[in-house]
């Protein structure tokens, strides 16, 4: 497949996970806004649900987008503790993570859950960022590519070309999340190539060529540029390094 990287916008998302209150999140967001230099990359932050409103206020008028960390697939109903896609849209979100490895492995989300969540995000007019990735055991058993293909296929199956247009994919090897271990640039690029080829097979070359594929897993300022050098690596999903403005800004600036 020809290299189309120059036609895809680089995307960097800071996933704050279960960190930051409203006040702390607003202060962190304000520091990121103040330090961010103009560039080509699309930058987003994903605070916890309770901080969404405060962070939305802090980034208002800037180029930074607001993302949800997760979503429940129903638009409303008797689902105590759940947050729906329309609620996230009303809070100012334009992107939502679905299928993050912690949702899959800590909370038990399966491929069908991820598919329904992605559909609910699309129905609410937002962009789903579909997370896929293998465990260390699956990689050591030679199953990594099959696992990622199956996760991706389960999510995009049945979606039309128009519905797939906003899609982004994030490859996050489970063995590299929060462990300090990072996939080498070559390892990341190899799996991103597999993901793009899978998208081409499932949804056509047009969808495959325009879909940004992000890498997530112990991303830091000192490895961001090397990871992004891959022809099929279009952005970064950043965890711990997004909790400090200086380290997240280093990553954002490395992304251009």
């Amino acid at each position: 497949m020809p290299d189309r990287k120059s036609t895809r916008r680089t995307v960097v998302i800071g996933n704050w996970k279960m960190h930051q209150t409203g006040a702390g999140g607003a202060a962190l967001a304000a520091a990121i806004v103040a330090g961010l230099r103009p560039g080509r990359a699309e930058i987003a932050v994903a605070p916890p649900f309770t901080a969404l409103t405060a962070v939305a206020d802090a980034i208002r008028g800037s180029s930074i987008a607001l993302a949800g960390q997760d979503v429940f697939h129903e638009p409303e109903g008797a689902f105590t503790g759940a947050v729906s896609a329309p609620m996230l849209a009303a809070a100012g979100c334009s992107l939502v993570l679905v299928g993050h490895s912690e949702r899959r492995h800590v909370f038990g989300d399966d491929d069908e859950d991820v598919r329904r969540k992605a559909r609910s995000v699309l129905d609410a007019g937002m962009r789903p960022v579909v997370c896929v990735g293998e465990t260390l055991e699956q990689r050591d058993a030679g199953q990594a590519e099959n696992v990622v293909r199956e996760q991706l296929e389960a999510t995009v199956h049945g979606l039309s070309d128009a519905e797939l247009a906003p899609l982004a994919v994030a490859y996050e090897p489970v063995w590299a999340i929060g462990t300090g271990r990072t996939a080498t640039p070559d390892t990341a690029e190899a799996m991103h190539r597999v993901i793009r080829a899978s998208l081409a097979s499932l949804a056509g070359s047009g969808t495959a060529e325009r879909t940004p594929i992000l890498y997530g897993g112990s991303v830091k300022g000192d490895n961001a540029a090397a990871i992004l050098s891959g022809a099929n690596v279009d952005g970064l999903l950043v965890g711990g390094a997004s909790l400090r403005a200086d380290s997240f800004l280093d990553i954002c600036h490395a992304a251009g």
Side-chain angles (χ1 to χ4, degrees), residues 10-63:
T10 304
V11 181
V12 178
I13 303 173
N15 177 18
W16 297 355
K17 306 188 180 185
M18 201 173 71
H19 297 281
Q20 297 295 352
T21 61
L28 174 56
I32 294 169
V33 170
L36 189 64
R37 297 194 298 264
R40 178 177 179 270
E42 176 183 355
I43 310 298
V45 292
F49 294 142
T50 55
L52 281 171
T53 299
V55 172
D57 288 341
I59 63 175
R60 185 167 288 115
S62 76
S63 61

Side-chain angles (χ1 to χ4, degrees), residues 104 111 114-115 118 130 150-157 159:
R104 293 180 188 264
D111 288 342
V114 178
R115 185 194 67 78
V130 178
E150 289 170 4
Q151 291 173 343
L152 188 62
E153 181 175 5
T155 304
V156 306
H157 179 72
L159 294 176

Side-chain angles (χ1 to χ4, degrees), residues 18-215:
M18 201 173 71
H19 297 281
Q20 297 295 352
T21 61
L28 174 56
I32 294 169
V33 170
L36 189 64
R37 297 194 298 264
R40 178 177 179 270
E42 176 183 355
I43 310 298
V45 292
F49 294 142
T50 55
L52 281 171
T53 299
V55 172
D57 288 341
I59 63 175
R60 185 167 288 115
S62 76
S63 61
I64 299 173
L66 190 67
Q69 294 184 12
D70 186 45
V71 67
F72 189 62
H73 66 271
E74 293 287 354
E76 62 181 7
F79 304 105
T80 301
V83 175
S84 72
M87 291 174 179
L88 293 176
C93 292
S94 56
L95 305 96
V96 182
L97 306 179
V98 295
H100 190 281
S101 64
E102 289 156 5
R103 295 300 315 179
R104 293 180 188 264
H105 296 285
V106 177
F107 296 96
D109 286 10
D110 60 21
D111 288 342
E112 177 61 14
D113 293 324
V114 178
R115 185 194 67 78
R116 292 190 293 182
K117 289 180 177 187
R119 168 71 75 173
S120 73
V121 171
L122 290 167
D123 288 345
M126 296 179 293
R127 298 175 60 192
V129 181
V130 178
C131 302
V132 297
E134 80 283 0
T135 64
L136 181 60
E137 292 75 15
Q138 289 166 333
R139 172 163 282 273
D140 287 346
Q143 300 170 346
E145 293 185 6
N146 286 337
V147 167
V148 168
R149 284 194 194 100
E150 289 170 4
Q151 291 173 343
L152 188 62
E153 181 175 5
T155 304
V156 306
H157 179 72
L159 294 176
S160 68
D161 287 347
E163 289 171 322
L164 287 169
L167 181 74
V169 177
Y171 169 57
E172 39 164 25
V174 180
W175 46 270
I177 298 172
T179 64
R181 294 182 59 180
T182 308
T184 66
D186 287 345
T187 300
E189 167 62 16
M191 187 61 82
H192 281 230
R193 235 181 357 253
V194 168
I195 292 169
R196 202 169 305 284
S198 297
L199 282 171
S201 174
L202 293 166
S205 59
T207 294
E209 289 165 3
R210 71 171 177 255
T211 300
I213 305 175
L214 287 59
Y215 171 81

